Amino acid sequence: MAPIPTPSAEPHDSPDAYVGLAADRAERLARERGWSTVRALPPGAIITMEYRVGRLNFEVRGGRVARAWKG
């Protein structure tokens, strides 16, 4: 049986730091800080609940990040 790969470490970064930023600036900053996947979602979007290491999610309202979370 093949060994289970060890997931890469997430950036040492707080999602709260992105709240209030313009969505495009927040996405650019997140990628610079090492997040492999950044996704912007509208308020109330239906999403799956699987956790993805290295992914940062933004809820965007009026072009600004209203909420940010890992996974």
Side-chain angles (χ1 to χ4, degrees):
M1 179 182 264
I4 297 173
T6 303
S8 57
E10 289 182 329
H12 294 286
D13 191 23
S14 172
D16 293 336
Y18 298 92
V19 175
L21 297 178
D24 58 342
R25 173 157 164 46
E27 182 174 349
R28 190 170 46 254
L29 187 58
R31 291 186 189 286
E32 288 172 5
R33 291 181 176 174
W35 294 98
S36 58
T37 304
V38 180
R39 70 177 176 176
L41 303 160
I46 297 172
I47 58 173
T48 59
M49 296 301 295
E50 84 277 7
Y51 187 90
R52 295 273 174 111
V53 174
R55 179 170 66 190
L56 189 61
N57 301 290
F58 295 143
E59 180 178 293
V60 178
R61 286 189 210 139
R64 297 210 167 266
V65 176
R67 181 176 161 233
W69 68 99
K70 297 177 181 182

